[in-house]
């Protein structure tokens, strides 16, 4: 765990408050859901050191590393926080990869849409001519002949 955010450690740990990797964050998130489901309350500080959570946390982090290698980090986190993923208590859930894949496709579509936008900075030629009544100042300019 790191005190400051880095390229690898950019997620805040729910239990310690330090920065951690995506796999650690995902594993902690799932373990926290399990604890709440079993009415054990929130997890303690560095809960993975206790006998009860040690093996479970290691299993979840092992699967989380596989998921991070296969899919984008943001897709995994969004899938677990989505309405379909809120009730997932293990990363070994068979339907989890389908949910992650759907989220990854959404993210890729958004990236394609944002990258296809072309901004035209030269708008001087595309100005529209004014319509309607002329202002008194414009009438005077027309009489002087300055508007050519």
């Amino acid at each position: 765990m790191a005190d400051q955010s880095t390229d690898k450690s950019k997620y805040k740990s729910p239990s310690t408050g330090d920065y951690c990797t995506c796999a650690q964050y995902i594993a902690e998130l799932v373990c926290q859901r399990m604890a709440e489901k079993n009415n054990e309350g929130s997890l303690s500080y560095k809960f993975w050191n206790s006998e009860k959570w040690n093996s479970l946390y290691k299993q979840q982090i092992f699967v989380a590393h596989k998921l991070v290698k296969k899919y984008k980090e943001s897709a995994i986190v969004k899938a677990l926080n989505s309405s379909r993923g809120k009730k997932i208590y293990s990363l070994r859930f068979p339907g989890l990869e389908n949910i992650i894949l759907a989220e990854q496709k959404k993210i890729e579509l958004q990236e394609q849409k944002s990258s296809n936008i072309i901004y035209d900075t030269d708008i001087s030629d595309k100005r529209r001519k004014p319509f309607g009544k002329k202002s008194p100042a414009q009438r005077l300019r027309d009489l002087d002949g300055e508007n050519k």
Side-chain angles (χ1 to χ4, degrees):
M1 304 259 173
D3 292 336
Q4 295 179 353
S5 177
T6 62
D7 289 340
K8 289 185 178 180
S9 302
K10 56 185 170 186
Y11 295 92
K12 267 217 168 181
S13 169
S15 64
T16 63
D18 293 337
Y19 289 95
C20 62
T21 63
C22 183
Q24 291 171 334
Y25 176 76
I26 292 166
E28 282 189 52
L29 187 67
V30 171
C31 288
Q32 185 175 7
R33 285 184 187 173
M34 277 189 221
E36 290 173 0
K37 179 186 175 192
N38 297 333
N39 290 329
E40 296 174 7
S42 62
L43 296 172
S44 63
Y45 181 79
K46 293 190 178 181
F47 67 95
W48 54 85
N49 290 332
S50 67
E51 289 180 32
K52 181 177 182 178
W53 291 102
N54 190 2
S55 64
L56 187 64
Y57 180 74
K58 285 180 182 178
Q59 290 171 5
Q60 295 301 317
I61 205 163
F62 180 74
V63 177
H65 277 295
K66 284 185 176 180
L67 289 174
V68 168
K69 286 181 182 178
K70 196 172 183 181
Y71 302 104
K72 290 184 178 182
E73 293 177 357
S74 57
I76 299 169
V77 173
K78 281 186 179 184
L80 287 173
N81 291 330
S82 69
S83 61
R84 290 174 49 194
K86 283 283 187 189
K87 295 188 178 185
I88 293 177
Y89 301 103
S90 174
L91 295 175
R92 295 179 190 244
F93 176 69
L96 178 62
E97 291 201 24
N98 294 334
I99 299 170
I100 294 171
L101 195 60
E103 287 294 328
Q104 186 161 335
K105 286 182 182 177
K106 287 180 189 177
I107 291 171
E108 288 172 357
L109 280 175
Q110 287 177 348
E111 288 174 355
Q112 286 178 353
K113 286 181 182 178
S114 65
S115 65
N116 290 341
I117 296 174
I118 299 171
Y119 295 102
D120 191 13
T121 56
D122 187 27
I123 59 169
S124 62
D125 297 337
K126 297 181 181 179
R127 290 185 183 161
R128 295 184 349 190
K129 292 183 179 179
F131 60 93
K133 294 184 178 180
K134 292 184 179 181
S135 68
Q138 184 63 36
R139 283 191 214 131
L140 289 174
R141 284 188 208 111
D142 289 342
L143 289 175
D144 291 338
E146 291 181 14
N147 194 13
K148 291 183 182 177

